[in-house]
Every structure is written in structure tokens, then in C-alpha cells.
Amino acid sequence: MRMDKKLRILLILPLYGGSLPIGRFCAQALHDMGHLVETFEAPDFYSSFSALKQLRVGADRLEYLENSFLQLISQAVLAKAETFEPDLVLSMAQAHLSRQALKKLSKDNITTAMWFMEDHRLFTYWKGFAPYYDYFAVIQKEPVLAELEEMGVNALYLPMAALPSFHRQEILSGMDQKRFS
């Protein structure tokens, strides 16, 4: 994948969580850089996913239903990729792409990347998914970068960033300066 050309990027947002607004900032930043960005709006599916917990079924059955739902999300992402034909599929942390979906994207020669902006010690699911991505970016350096390298993963350190059009200095009035000091 050449980075000097304008790319078609399919950005996969998570259902919910702290990486959701960051994903939206990423979409805007990539667009501002001149790329064609299509966003998979997983949050649109969140209420249905949440409704599964209201069924009052056993833990095993609930886990099966949740996994089936997440497989459906992965299939929807694949359908979107077939239509949009991206150069890159960029998943934000907590975005749900199954291993099978990642294998299919790889088979279709679509580059995949994950920006894992979570604590690698608390959220350990990365170990099972990182090898299926072409690029795996993390916000922490060691020991996670060494672990990813041992796994044969093309990993990179990508700390949090800012979208200049949003994250900018505000000039406060004298009254606000007193109020917020």
C-alpha cells in the first residue's frame, strides 16, 4: 500500500466506548488529508446489541447470542468493503471484526490496521487478533511492542493524537479566565 497517494479508507468504529470519539476524529483527519473515508457506523447497532442483555437468558446462551451478533457486524463490514472497495480498513479499539472477516479482507488484498488505544494489560483480546492485521498500532511502548514483535506482528507505536480543527487553544474572556482558574 502506497502512502503517497490518496487512499480509500473504510474506518470501523466501535459499538461504544472511549475510542468512538477518537475514531470520529480520525475519520475527519484522514478526510482533511485528502483521503476518501467511509465510516462503518457500528454505534447504530449498539441498542440491538444491548437489548440482548434484557432477554434474561442463561450466561451461556447470552454469550452465544452476543458472539452471533458480533459475527453479523463482521459480515456487515465485509459487505461494506465489497461495495466501497477500500485500500485500507482501519479498525479502532473495540471495533468488532472477526478473525474470519480479517482473513477474507487479506484474501481480497485489502490492507488492514488496528489502532489499539487501550491498556494492553487490562484488555488482552489483542493477543488473539493482532496477528490477523497487517498493521497493529498501540499507545504503549514496552512490553507490548516486544510481545507483538515476538508474535510476528507488524506493530508500531502510535500515541494519542489531536485533530487541530477541534483540539485547539481557546481564547477565554476575562470572566471565564477568573471562573476557570
Side-chain angles (χ1 to χ4, degrees):
M1 179 178 68
R2 294 184 51 209
M3 293 306 288
D4 58 335
K5 72 171 194 161
K6 302 305 177 191
L7 301 175
R8 296 173 65 83
I9 301 172
L10 177 57
L11 191 136
I12 314 303
L13 294 174
L15 289 169
Y16 63 94
S19 57
L20 177 56
I22 296 167
R24 295 203 189 285
F25 292 137
C26 273
Q28 185 62 52
L30 291 165
H31 177 268
D32 291 350
M33 293 169 64
H35 300 293
L36 180 59
V37 180
E38 184 78 23
T39 304
F40 182 83
E41 290 289 339
D44 292 347
F45 298 89
Y46 182 64
S47 62
S48 297
F49 181 73
S50 297
L52 295 173
K53 290 183 179 14
Q54 307 306 315
L55 293 175
R56 297 184 192 162
V57 297
D60 288 346
R61 191 58 151 158
L62 178 60
E63 182 180 0
Y64 173 79
L65 291 170
E66 287 176 340
N67 286 334
S68 297
F69 188 87
L70 296 176
Q71 288 296 326
L72 174 68
I73 297 290
S74 287
Q75 290 301 310
V77 169
L78 288 176
K80 188 82 164 169
E82 286 175 13
T83 303
F84 183 61
E85 299 178 342
D87 299 302
L88 171 68
V89 171
L90 172 59
S91 297
M92 304 309 290
Q94 303 290 352
H96 295 283
L97 265 182
S98 67
R99 289 175 193 88
Q100 294 79 12
L102 289 164
K103 287 179 186 177
K104 171 78 168 110
L105 292 168
S106 178
K107 182 180 171 195
D108 292 344
N109 294 315
I110 299 172
T111 302
T112 57
M114 161 69 82
W115 189 10
F116 187 76
M117 58 198 85
E118 302 286 359
D119 185 333
H120 71 280
R121 295 170 302 244
L122 295 176
F123 295 91
T124 59
Y125 71 87
W126 62 270
K127 293 178 184 181
F129 286 88
Y132 295 94
Y133 283 94
D134 294 305
Y135 302 95
F136 201 83
V138 294
I139 63 170
Q140 295 151 331
K141 291 183 179 178
E142 297 303 336
V144 68
L145 285 173
E147 290 180 51
L148 287 163
E149 186 177 325
E150 283 178 26
M151 296 167 65
V153 173
N154 189 0
L156 59 135
Y157 172 65
L158 182 61
M160 297 307 287
L163 179 64
S165 62
F166 181 84
H167 301 97
R168 63 189 183 284
Q169 182 178 2
E170 285 289 324
I171 307 301
L172 299 177
S173 68
M175 185 182 295
D176 282 343
Q177 286 179 7
K178 284 181 181 182
R179 180 177 172 208
F180 294 115
S181 66

